[in-house]
Amino acid sequence: MRLDPIQRAIDEDLVRVLYAQDPIAFFTHWFSIAVLVAIYWPAVPSPPLFVACFGFYAAANCGSLALWICNRRYPRLASPRGWIVLHAVRGMLLYSAPGLAIWFAFQSPQADLPLLHTVMLVTLAGGVFMSNGFDLLNFSTAIPFLLFPSIVMHFGTHTFDRTILAIVLAFFFCAINVYAMSYRKLFRQVVQARVDQQYLAESLAEQKHVAEEASLAKTRFFAAASHDLRQPLHAIGLLAASLNDTAATPVQHAKTAEHIVYNVEALNQLFNQVLDLARLESGVTQVIRLHFRLAELFERVGSQYRPQAAAKGLALRIAPTAMIVHDDPVLLERVLSNLLSNAVRYTEEGAIWLGVRRAGQAWGGYIEVRDSGIGIPAGEHEQIFEEFYQVANPQRDARQGHGLGLPTVKRLVELLGGELQLRSAPGRGSVFRFPVQAGEAGGIVASLNETAAGGPSTQGRRVLCIDDEPSILEGLASLLARWGCSVRGARDEAAALAVLAQGFVPDAVLCDYQLANHRTGAQALSAVRNALARAGHEGVVTLLITGDMASAELTALALQGIPVLHKPVTPARLRRTLEMLWQQAELDRGRAAAPVSGQRSAPMSGPVTDPALPPASALREANADDEV
């Protein structure tokens, strides 16, 4: 993945190093031309060829200088690799002239000229090694043209001393190539180390920036949360103090109590919204997809917000649809509830529209919520998805919400695998839309509008409760007993197994997550299930209850579809969860028995028909507002 950036960095460094030495090479080659001409001048063999050869040498040297000037003045004229190739062509032309000029030494009557010329070539080869050895292309296009003609000419004389010299030159050629390979490897390592340091510095700078942004966001979040939490607490404190006023009339006391209840409800709503965001951020919110009729979900959320819309004189229109979707109905209901709540809050006249647009998409369609409200300026389209940010509420009036609805909606839509889209302008209303997947009619197992009371009754059910807090055990036992359940309590895993050993076979096991002796509820439930399985009792409903938000094990349990409720758990939520789990368990047993009795089983598609997965509405804190 990092090969290309490193290679580019190597190329950029090669260009700088190669061209940095060209001015010195220019004067070196002029010195070489002067020395060679002086050596051959007393008896020039083949004058026309000599003039042509050394004229070409001088022209190539001047062209090398021109290329250097061009690189300095117009560095963006070519890519780094392009400049390297041009420098290699320059080297091939420049070093071929002195290399081929060895022929003149063997044509001269002076016996020592081949040796002198060879010494000059070896000197130039040393310069090539120093200046071009770290680049394979430049080195391999210069050294062969410089040394091969000399090696061939010395071997061709068939004399002992020249043959030895040719062998030495060949060995020198091989050695200089080996050293050049090491030179290139070292150069690459140096550049790679520099690039690694640069990446590390950039990464640290980026992480520092992210940390600073997160710190600022956390500061803004806590500042806004502190303000919105302090407001109702301050009001409650003042109102509670006023109850001690003996001069106040019963009517005033009743009014004060009403205000206290209102502020407590506002505080509870804000607290639940913050917990919702915390659960989404921690990754413990589970997605359980079911096949269901979208019209039923529309009717559920519509019936909830029609009275509020009517109180403001708004029309809440829900487009009829026969579409069946495959999605999480609980999380989807949470999304629509937040969007409709915002639409009602920020619309003073006109209408609100909820519907789905297929737009010819075979895979599904888009759910849209439209309103004719105040609209959102284009510059605030990103900001509205930040926690506690609100349009047109600089006074932070709690009656207009707390600015947590849309951040929750965005995270829920992303959790469901979609993207929340927004079209809005001031005075022209807003349109929120997100995708949903089409489902299958054969995959529907129940209607969303069936009440929990219509499911299996709690009367006569046997429940085993595991919790190391005596007050919680006592509270659960009292609550479940009022529902008609037979309850046994256990402080830890060993006590729970002892209850089972006494012959108590539970229909459900409720277990706290954090137990004494560094044990977890997941371990306790596993031990209980194993004990029940050995006794021939399988399919017992299990439920974890925890106040933990960020445990890695909880995240793993959520991915496995194991039911988890997060504290605080209301009695209505607990009862609804248990009844839905029992309902799912009975459906699973019915499907397992259907093939045996010769009946045709219902079509199974997706997680809804997997016996290991409980129903969606039994698994999340997202149903915090559901009442039985």
Side-chain angles (χ1 to χ4, degrees):
M1 294 298 292
R2 292 177 48 199
L3 181 60
D4 289 341
I6 290 177
Q7 186 59 54
R8 182 172 181 83
I10 290 175
D11 289 348
E12 291 172 350
D13 279 10
L14 281 175
V15 171
R16 284 192 292 269
V17 177
L18 287 171
Y19 284 87
Q21 303 181 68
D22 282 354
I24 299 175
F26 176 75
F27 292 105
T28 301
H29 284 288
W30 274 118
F31 177 77
S32 174
I33 292 172
V35 170
L36 290 174
V37 170
I39 291 174
Y40 289 107
W41 188 255
V44 178
S46 303
L49 286 177
F50 186 84
V51 171
C53 179
F54 282 89
F56 176 79
Y57 191 6
N61 196 26
C62 291
S64 173
L65 182 64
L67 181 64
W68 174 80
I69 294 173
C70 185
N71 174 263
R72 293 296 298 271
R73 292 189 176 182
Y74 311 105
R76 298 186 180 277
L77 193 62
S79 65
R81 178 49 51 178
W83 285 116
I84 292 172
V85 171
L86 288 173
H87 197 272
V89 173
R90 160 258 186 204
M92 181 180 64
L93 297 176
L94 186 61
Y95 290 101
S96 62
L100 294 173
I102 189 72
W103 179 82
F104 295 109
F106 284 90
Q107 301 302 315
S108 174
Q110 300 182 45
D112 57 345
L113 280 185
L115 181 60
L116 291 174
H117 198 117
T118 300
V119 171
M120 179 66 70
L121 294 180
V122 171
T123 303
L124 289 175
V128 172
F129 172 77
M130 295 300 296
S131 61
N132 295 355
F134 38 75
D135 179 54
L136 177 62
L137 181 62
N138 276 267
F139 187 76
S140 60
T141 53
I143 288 295
F145 284 98
L146 198 59
L147 296 181
F148 272 1
S150 180
I151 294 173
V152 172
M153 294 296 293
H154 282 293
F155 267 121
T157 59
H158 301 295
T159 61
F160 178 75
D161 56 341
R162 297 297 170 83
T163 301
I164 293 298
L165 183 58
I167 293 173
V168 171
L169 278 177
F171 178 79
F172 174 75
F173 175 80
C174 295
I176 201 172
N177 272 279
V178 171
Y179 283 115
M181 288 174 60
S182 301
Y183 197 12
R184 288 192 295 273
K185 183 177 180 180
L186 178 62
F187 183 83
R188 183 180 181 87
Q189 289 174 346
V190 170
V191 175
Q192 184 166 347
R194 181 180 63 79
V195 173
D196 286 341
Q197 290 181 346
Q198 183 177 349
Y199 271 112
L200 180 60
E202 292 175 353
S203 176
L204 289 174
E206 183 178 354
Q207 291 177 13
K208 180 182 177 183
H209 177 72
V210 170
E212 290 174 349
E213 287 292 323
S215 178
L216 288 174
K218 183 177 69 174
T219 301
R220 290 193 298 267
F221 179 87
F222 281 115
S226 174
H227 174 273
D228 286 4
L229 286 169
R230 287 174 183 271
Q231 287 292 88
L233 283 174
H234 180 62
I236 291 170
L238 294 175
L239 292 167
S242 68
L243 289 176
N244 294 325
D245 185 2
T246 57
T249 65
V251 174
Q252 290 173 325
H253 278 161
K255 192 69 173 177
T256 300
E258 182 181 342
H259 286 306
I260 290 176
V261 170
Y262 169 79
N263 281 280
V264 169
E265 289 177 351
L267 190 62
N268 186 57
Q269 181 185 15
L270 176 58
F271 186 68
N272 284 333
Q273 287 178 326
V274 173
L275 286 180
D276 281 344
L277 278 175
R279 280 188 289 269
L280 288 170
E281 292 290 344
S282 64
V284 299
T285 301
Q286 297 165 309
V287 177
I288 307 297
R289 303 187 188 276
L290 304 176
H291 299 269
F292 61 93
R293 295 178 180 85
L294 190 57
E296 295 179 358
L297 182 60
F298 282 178
E299 182 57 33
R300 281 171 64 95
V301 294
S303 62
Q304 181 181 354
Y305 289 97
R306 274 198 185 94
Q308 299 179 31
K312 295 185 67 174
L314 304 174
L316 176 54
R317 302 192 179 106
I318 299 179
T321 178
M323 183 179 178
I324 296 170
V325 299
H326 182 225
D327 219 320
D328 188 313
V330 174
L331 298 185
L332 202 56
E333 181 176 353
R334 195 73 168 184
V335 169
L336 295 180
S337 294
N338 276 293
L339 291 178
L340 287 179
S341 175
N342 269 10
V344 172
R345 181 177 295 120
Y346 292 105
T347 304
E348 297 302 327
E349 60 180 11
I352 299 168
W353 184 87
L354 169 64
V356 61
R357 295 186 182 276
R358 296 298 297 268
Q361 303 292 341
W363 54 265
Y366 291 90
I367 292 180
E368 290 188 359
V369 177
R370 299 170 174 263
D371 64 61
S372 56
I374 61 175
I376 305 167
E380 299 184 44
H381 282 193
E382 295 294 330
Q383 293 173 289
I384 62 171
F385 296 109
E386 297 176 3
E387 292 84 355
F388 292 101
Y389 184 85
Q390 291 176 288
V391 178
N393 188 18
Q395 295 82 19
R396 298 204 58 80
D397 183 359
R399 290 171 295 182
Q400 296 187 35
H402 301 281
L404 295 176
L406 287 179
T408 301
V409 167
K410 186 174 186 293
R411 286 167 174 76
L412 284 172
V413 171
E414 291 173 350
L415 184 64
L416 292 171
E419 179 185 0
L420 184 63
Q421 301 174 15
L422 166 65
R423 296 197 310 271
S424 184
R428 302 185 62 181
S430 303
V431 179
F432 291 90
R433 70 179 236 162
F434 57 91
V436 288
Q437 297 288 332
E440 300 176 1
I444 299 175
V445 295
S447 170
L448 295 182
N449 291 329
E450 291 177 1
T451 64
S457 172
T458 58
Q459 190 69 34
R461 296 282 186 176
R462 296 179 301 277
V463 181
L464 173 60
C465 300
I466 308 173
D467 200 304
D468 57 358
E469 181 61 45
S471 60
I472 294 179
L473 275 181
E474 184 179 348
L476 281 173
S478 175
L479 177 66
L480 292 168
R482 290 201 304 271
W483 294 346
C485 299
S486 174
V487 186
R488 296 290 295 274
R491 294 283 299 276
D492 52 30
E493 178 183 319
L497 294 176
V499 170
L500 299 181
Q502 295 170 8
F504 185 80
V505 180
D507 296 302
V509 181
L510 308 185
C511 186
D512 187 32
Y513 180 66
Q514 295 289 353
L515 299 176
N517 301 320
H518 306 288
R519 300 290 290 175
T520 67
Q523 295 170 323
L525 287 180
S526 178
V528 168
R529 280 196 300 265
N530 291 337
L532 289 170
R534 287 193 297 269
H537 306 291
E538 297 184 354
V540 175
V541 165
T542 57
L543 180 63
L544 271 176
I545 301 176
T546 180
D548 197 340
M549 290 291 179
S551 167
E553 186 174 359
L554 278 179
T555 303
L557 293 174
L559 293 175
Q560 297 171 25
I562 295 177
V564 179
L565 284 181
H566 293 272
K567 299 176 182 178
V569 180
T570 64
R573 233 183 310 163
L574 178 60
R575 181 163 184 169
R576 178 177 176 84
T577 301
L578 286 172
E579 290 179 346
M580 293 298 289
L581 287 172
W582 282 324
Q583 182 182 16
Q584 181 68 30
E586 291 183 2
L587 287 172
D588 293 339
R589 284 194 290 270
R591 280 195 294 268
V596 177
S597 60
Q599 298 175 0
R600 184 178 178 180
S601 61
M604 294 190 289
S605 174
V608 65
T609 57
D610 187 343
L613 297 179
S617 54
L619 299 182
R620 270 110 30 217
E621 290 293 294
N623 61 353
D625 296 329
D626 290 347
E627 297 293 333
V628 178

